[in-house]
Amino acid sequence: MRLQRLTTASALAVTAALVLAACGSSPEVDSGPATTATPSASAAERSAAPAAPDDPVPDTVWPLTGVDAEGADQDALDRPALSIKIENSADARPQSNLQYADIVFEEQVEYGISRLVAIYHSDTPETVGPIRSMRPMDKNIMGSMEGPLIFSGAQRGFINDAARSGQQLIAQDTGGYGFFRVSTKPAPHNLHGTLEDFFSQTDASAPPQQFTYAYPSEDSNVVAEGTTATSIDINASPRMQPSWEWDSSAGAWMRSEGGSAHVTADGTQLSAQNVVVLWVDVRSNSSGGGSSVPETIVVTDSGTGYVAAGDSYIPITWSKAGQFDPYVLETEGGETVELIPGQTWVELIPQSGGAGKGTVTIS
């Protein structure tokens, strides 16, 4: 209101001045023909509002990678995620088509040997293998994917416990089909499976998104706030020694086993855009009806770890409230960790139990 009153007073003063001037003796001056001012093109351009920047968030993404899914077949987007137990002993390598998994979890089993839970959704090869037995922690590791757990063999008590929990199981020894053996390796390291057969045995729906992704990638808080790194060296046991090297030209972390490149049957070195390292506790479980086995504890109030994305890493805290709940990854300041769209490997490294406390060196 004050601004409005000042403006009105000024206008009255100007009007009075003009009236006095008109009453004076100065002669009129012909100002010539009237003209209309037209702003220049550059001025008009300067006055136009800038166009809004493109929204970097894709309209549709693959839920387990965050990768843009524009143009993807809707049936493919709607299919469930297949969580498949993959052997990772020296006798099992090289694996077949492991490079196509969206997310891979690495766990420790007996004698410090590594096993994998590979999750297939966005890119599904015809076959995968070698497929091996289930462990009591597997239902908790992959339960948030909401699809079937696929394996061959397990102690009956562990199978019954997983089935009672509501987890769908597809196994060679429980009536599942789609399994076959190859001649390139001796048993039991030669069991493979056909993904189309596995899809036909489940009516599960598409998986929910598991992690938060940054768009564009360089806005990830791991990249923007993290420490630059080029290598991740893990020593979880004499038989579980994965490592990762950052390849700037590939824009990915490249995986090795025991100092040698970890390649698949066709010679492809395994890689990931994100490497998540979670410190876990491992306890002995003898409820299966057979010998005691290590169980990795992933349903917990909280834990610590690291996330590497791009050429950077940050320390994190993590939690998983229940079997079917997702992993929650947060920065030390309590913010949600933002991964880079792409494949993710999750390394479950014992801080107690199992073959002993592991070590993780990031440099």
Side-chain angles (χ1 to χ4, degrees), residues 190-355:
N190 62 350
L191 185 68
H192 287 228
T194 303
L195 270 63
E196 194 59 42
D197 286 337
F198 298 151
F199 280 123
S200 70
Q201 296 171 73
T202 180
D203 57 2
S205 56
Q209 185 168 314
Q210 299 295 303
F211 303 117
T212 298
Y213 299 94
Y215 305 96
S217 296
E218 55 267 26
D219 285 351
S220 160
N221 50 13
V222 180
V223 176
E225 303 170 14
T227 302
T228 301
T230 58
S231 67
I232 305 170
D233 294 305
I234 299 172
N235 185 347
S237 80
R239 296 180 177 88
M240 184 178 176
Q241 297 182 340
S243 62
W244 298 86
E245 297 290 331
W246 173 250
D247 185 332
S248 57
S249 60
W253 290 91
M254 311 303 292
R255 179 179 166 89
S256 294
E257 281 276 1
S260 299
H262 187 173
V263 299
T264 57
D266 65 0
T268 301
Q269 185 174 4
L270 294 171
S271 64
Q273 277 65 49
N274 308 287
V275 179
V276 178
V277 180
L278 305 183
W279 289 111
V280 297
D281 294 315
V282 178
R283 70 184 179 197
S284 180
N285 189 326
S286 57
S287 66
S291 59
S292 180
V293 301
E295 179 182 6
T296 298
I297 308 303
V298 294
V299 175
T300 183
D301 290 337
S302 64
T304 59
Y306 310 95
V307 169
D311 63 352
S312 302
Y313 82 98
I314 59 172
I316 65 161
T317 61
W318 70 275
S319 63
K320 192 177 193 295
Q323 175 181 343
F324 299 107
D325 293 299
Y327 296 82
V328 176
L329 309 180
E330 294 184 338
T331 69
E332 290 184 314
E335 297 179 347
T336 299
V337 172
E338 298 166 339
L339 302 186
I340 289 176
Q343 294 168 296
T344 299
W345 274 65
V346 182
E347 302 282 4
L348 303 173
I349 307 304
Q351 63 183 353
S352 68

Side-chain angles (χ1 to χ4, degrees), residues 76-111:
L77 285 166
D78 292 341
R79 67 192 172 201
L82 303 179
S83 299
I84 306 178
K85 280 302 298 289
I86 301 293
E87 187 179 6
N88 193 41
S89 67
D91 293 328
R93 296 191 293 266
Q95 294 97 340
S96 174
N97 293 325
L98 182 56
Q99 71 268 33
Y100 297 110
D102 289 348
I103 303 174
V104 179
F105 293 87
E106 183 168 21
E107 65 185 26
Q108 188 177 110
V109 294
E110 297 84 349
Y111 313 110

Side-chain angles (χ1 to χ4, degrees), residues 103-189:
I103 303 174
V104 179
F105 293 87
E106 183 168 21
E107 65 185 26
Q108 188 177 110
V109 294
E110 297 84 349
Y111 313 110
I113 295 172
S114 161
R115 287 267 173 96
L116 309 174
V117 182
I119 321 295
Y120 292 87
H121 181 249
S122 69
D123 199 350
T124 53
E126 183 178 354
T127 64
V128 299
I131 299 174
R132 285 300 297 272
S133 55
M134 184 257 286
R135 292 295 183 274
M137 61 276 203
D138 293 336
K139 68 182 187 302
N140 293 325
I141 288 175
M142 53 65 61
S144 59
M145 309 297 163
E146 300 184 358
L149 173 61
I150 300 164
F151 61 95
S152 173
Q155 293 182 26
R156 176 52 58 180
F158 298 147
I159 293 176
N160 293 342
D161 178 63
R164 284 193 300 265
S165 75
Q167 177 60 56
Q168 183 188 6
L169 309 176
I170 298 176
Q172 184 190 35
D173 46 351
T174 60
Y177 61 89
F179 300 89
F180 65 95
R181 295 195 180 274
V182 298
S183 59
T184 52
K185 294 186 180 74
H189 315 292

